[in-house]
Amino acid sequence: MLTDIEIAQKARLLPIEDVAAKLGIERKYLELYGDYKAKIKDELYDKLKDRPDGKLVLVTAINPTPAGEGKTTTTVGLGQAMAKIGKKAIIALREPSLGPVMGIKGGAAGGGYSQVVPMEDINLHFTGDIHAVTTANNLLAAAIDNHIHQGNSLGIDARRILWKRCMDMNDRALRQIVVGLGGKANGFPREDGFNISVASEVMAILCLATSMTDLKERLGRIVVAYNYNGEPVTARDLNVHGAMALLLKDAIKPNLVQTLENTPCLMHGGPFANIAHGCNSLKATKLALKLADYVITEAGFGADLGAEKFFDIKCRYGNIKPDAVVIVATVRALKYNGGVKKEELSKENLEALGKGIENLEKHLENLKKFGVPVLVSINHFASDTQEETELIKSRCAKLGVDVAVSRVFEKGGEGGIELAEKLCSIIENEPSNFKPLYDLSLSIKEKIELITREIYGGDRVVFTDKALNEIKSIEAMGFKELPVCMAKTQYSLSDNPSLLGRPRGFELTVKEVRLSAGAGFVVALTGDIMTMPGLPKVPAANKIDIDENGVITGLF
């Protein structure tokens, strides 16, 4: 079979104006970025805001494994399949970060015959949104050090600066650094560090802001440091939130692209799900709901991270209600969760599969707590046996959950017709009674403990003294009633990536709690989670190349 990039390079793309026309979008609402990409002007939503919303479908997954689950591939394939059965559908996805593209995780444009294109552009610089986030973030960082250098009228305590610089690349050497060296002209030396751009609060704000006014207000609320009296200092105090909003004036507009089968896709925003809230922008999702009868979106990593944050943060702020959830699993990944080594995953092993299915069962139990109908999608691999597939179906049937086998990687939309038809049936016959997991009136500690108990299955939470002091400070500032964004490993339901399947009886350790006042949530960091990833021993970048004719190779 051809590689992903070879398939994408053979695709027959429609001019982006024609893709927009499928949704009834006139040319005057588009800002073109070449022939196959466009941003959509805010005036379109203003025109459509009174139109009834379409049906919202979230695609999530079991905990990711080295075997791969194919969540984005399923999302794209499902959108294509909906078109195959005559439904007006649109896909809403996050943008890929260059760090993982050049590192180990790969891109975020799907795979096989279920891809979003032009995949080279999407996985590289796209329309520059993440670069704009990086620049806005670093303007604020520069303003902090400049303010101190110019006399520090706000009394910023250089020992209590919270804001870090960022870049869209995996670079572990930048996690902890010292800035301001070289004498008086270069400012005051202090400890600093970098986050990856998609972990910046600016990215979270971009994805939750509903307008330019809301964006500017949220940017102004960012707490960047404390002064010598222990009081918070904000971006508004530094008077740079307006300039930051200006840098994001184009990035706030959703991007329109297409799939290999020319299904429309809004691709906008890209916060990580293990260190941020893991969903595409609220603006893109809300616009998509006005443009189509079915919106297929996804949340990052497993349902314990992306789906929980989608429900408890994004849906809460956007006042949106999902109509159904598709959870993606593979026979291979479930066997991995059952203890099978990666090299042995192609061999039938019903015993290990039965044990690994416990991971899927826990996620299904969790999703039902939100009151949304659920459908399981088995992303089919050639090595899957009929017996293995039937075992998954029988175990899911005991929980009252239907299963569809998806072959969208191999066959595109045609391979997702069963999935699309079953999904439409569920939406038509099982009303959603969506509700968030917790009430915002709970304390920050109570929210963290409830998520750990109900979603992860842990027995108790251990808070470090540092975390307890931070919670006390955050609540004293009046932010007790914010939702919680858990920063946790994606590989396990626990905070220990080696605990696969369905771990029980474990403790979860909260090491640090950060306030994201602009985004509107509190981040709880657990385990060994890093907000600046590192590159693997052999990065994906080693295999990527471009020839004299501009043909890219090695990009998946």
Side-chain angles (χ1 to χ4, degrees):
M1 185 172 174
L2 300 175
T3 65
D4 288 354
I5 193 167
E6 288 171 337
I7 292 171
Q9 288 169 343
K10 292 178 181 294
R12 294 185 177 181
L13 278 65
L14 292 178
I16 200 63
E17 300 99 312
D18 294 350
V19 177
K22 289 186 175 188
L23 299 168
I25 301 174
E26 300 173 62
R27 169 65 182 83
K28 65 181 180 180
Y29 295 114
L30 301 178
E31 294 178 359
L32 302 187
Y33 280 63
D35 296 331
Y36 306 114
K37 309 185 294 278
K39 281 191 170 289
I40 300 179
K41 299 177 183 178
D42 288 341
E43 290 84 354
L44 179 62
Y45 185 81
D46 294 337
K47 175 188 175 184
L48 303 176
K49 62 184 179 182
D50 295 325
R51 181 182 289 184
D53 285 348
K55 302 295 185 181
L56 179 60
V57 178
L58 173 68
V59 179
T60 185
I62 62 171
N63 291 100
T65 72
E69 286 63 59
K71 175 162 49 64
T72 303
T73 300
T74 300
T75 303
V76 175
L78 176 56
Q80 295 181 151
M82 295 293 274
K84 290 278 187 185
I85 64 172
K87 304 296 183 182
K88 186 179 181 181
I90 189 170
I91 301 162
L93 295 174
R94 293 176 297 161
E95 304 176 40
S97 164
L98 274 173
V101 168
M102 296 295 169
I104 190 170
K105 179 180 174 290
Y113 289 91
S114 292
Q115 295 186 58
V116 182
V117 284
M119 72 91 86
E120 302 102 310
D121 294 2
I122 289 168
N123 281 310
L124 298 175
H125 303 286
F126 200 21
T127 57
D129 293 346
I130 297 181
H131 297 315
V133 167
T134 304
T135 305
N137 181 103
N138 292 340
L139 168 63
L140 181 54
I144 295 167
D145 286 299
N146 182 63
H147 182 85
I148 296 172
H149 177 71
Q150 301 293 351
N152 198 10
S153 61
L154 293 172
I156 295 173
D157 186 345
R159 299 164 301 180
R160 300 193 68 191
I161 294 174
L162 308 174
W163 195 251
K164 292 187 176 185
R165 290 164 164 82
C166 74
M167 64 181 295
D168 189 29
M169 192 55 60
N170 295 1
D171 192 345
R172 64 173 56 84
L174 294 178
R175 288 171 184 162
Q176 294 290 133
I177 62 171
V178 176
V179 296
L181 298 178
K184 184 177 179 180
N186 296 338
F188 292 86
R190 68 176 181 87
E191 288 189 51
D192 197 4
F194 275 73
N195 293 324
I196 192 167
S197 297
V198 289
S200 168
E201 187 179 351
V202 176
M203 175 60 84
I205 288 171
L206 181 73
C207 290
L208 291 172
T210 55
S211 66
M212 180 57 73
T213 300
D214 185 34
L215 176 71
K216 193 186 302 185
E217 176 63 29
R218 287 174 177 271
L219 291 170
R221 293 201 302 261
I222 295 172
V223 176
V224 301
Y226 292 97
N227 64 20
Y228 290 117
N229 295 322
E231 300 162 334
V233 178
T234 66
R236 184 183 300 277
D237 294 328
L238 291 164
N239 198 29
V240 291
H241 58 299
M244 293 171 70
L246 171 62
L247 290 169
L248 298 168
K249 71 178 180 65
D250 295 317
I252 195 173
K253 300 169 187 174
N255 305 299
L256 177 66
V257 284
Q258 62 190 295
T259 72
L260 292 172
E261 297 177 11
N262 313 121
T263 302
C265 175
L266 292 181
M267 192 170 238
H268 192 219
F272 276 6
N274 57 344
I275 50 184
H277 72 284
C279 310
N280 72 307
S281 79
L282 199 49
K283 280 177 69 75
T285 301
K286 291 176 79 74
L287 177 60
L289 287 167
K290 301 299 182 185
L291 290 171
D293 297 327
Y294 294 88
V295 177
I296 316 297
T297 190
E298 70 169 20
F301 293 128
D304 55 318
L305 287 171
E308 185 272 316
K309 295 170 186 178
F310 178 87
F311 294 140
D312 285 323
I313 298 175
K314 181 174 178 175
C315 289
R316 204 190 294 264
Y317 278 119
N319 193 28
I320 54 177
K321 186 189 81 169
D323 293 279
V325 178
V326 173
I327 182 165
V328 180
T330 67
V331 170
R332 293 162 56 86
L334 290 172
K335 285 190 288 191
Y336 187 86
N337 268 281
V340 177
K341 295 180 179 179
K342 184 179 178 181
E343 302 77 32
E344 303 292 322
L345 291 175
S346 296
K347 298 178 182 178
E348 182 178 271
N349 189 328
L350 295 176
E351 181 180 354
L353 177 62
K355 184 179 178 183
I357 290 173
E358 291 184 3
N359 184 267
L360 172 60
E361 290 172 335
K362 174 57 177 164
H363 287 298
L364 291 174
E365 291 170 15
N366 290 346
L367 292 169
K368 288 189 173 185
K369 294 174 182 177
F370 294 94
V372 184
V374 184
L375 174 65
V376 172
S377 173
I378 300 176
N379 186 18
H380 179 76
F381 280 73
S383 60
D384 298 353
T385 68
Q386 185 66 32
E387 290 77 12
E388 289 173 325
T389 302
E390 290 303 320
L391 178 58
I392 298 173
K393 288 182 176 180
S394 65
R395 290 277 288 272
C396 290
K398 292 178 181 177
L399 295 176
V401 178
D402 200 1
V403 176
V405 177
S406 168
R407 292 177 169 84
V408 297
F409 181 89
E410 177 189 359
K411 299 181 178 181
E414 191 70 30
I417 288 178
E418 178 193 3
L419 177 62
E421 289 177 340
K422 286 190 173 183
L423 175 63
C424 290
S425 177
I426 285 175
I427 291 174
E428 290 167 8
N429 298 300
E430 297 182 34
S432 173
N433 297 305
F434 170 70
K435 61 183 185 304
L437 181 69
Y438 53 80
D439 193 283
L440 291 178
S441 63
L442 295 176
S443 69
I444 294 172
K445 270 189 68 178
E446 287 172 327
K447 291 167 193 164
I448 293 171
E449 289 168 342
L450 191 148
I451 293 170
T452 299
R453 184 174 62 252
E454 295 294 326
I455 301 300
Y456 308 153
D459 278 0
R460 63 188 291 262
V461 180
V462 176
F463 294 88
T464 63
D465 289 342
K466 183 177 190 294
L468 289 173
N469 288 332
E470 288 164 338
I471 290 172
K472 183 178 179 180
S473 175
I474 291 168
E475 292 187 338
M477 286 190 286
F479 295 107
K480 170 192 166 187
E481 297 197 354
L482 292 182
V484 170
C485 180
M486 299 293 289
K488 181 184 75 70
T489 179
Q490 65 268 35
Y491 298 114
S492 171
L493 284 160
S494 72
D495 58 352
N496 180 350
S498 66
L499 294 180
L500 303 181
R502 183 175 184 170
R504 292 176 170 87
F506 61 87
E507 293 180 347
L508 182 132
T509 301
V510 175
K511 296 184 174 181
E512 185 179 347
V513 178
R514 298 176 183 171
L515 172 64
S516 292
F521 52 68
V522 174
V523 182
L525 284 89
T526 71
D528 295 324
I529 198 70
M530 297 282 187
T531 54
M532 170 53 86
L535 291 171
K537 186 173 183 179
V538 182
N542 291 6
K543 306 170 188 174
I544 299 171
D545 202 358
I546 183 169
D547 68 16
E548 61 183 12
N549 297 314
V551 177
I552 297 171
T553 55
L555 192 65
F556 325 122

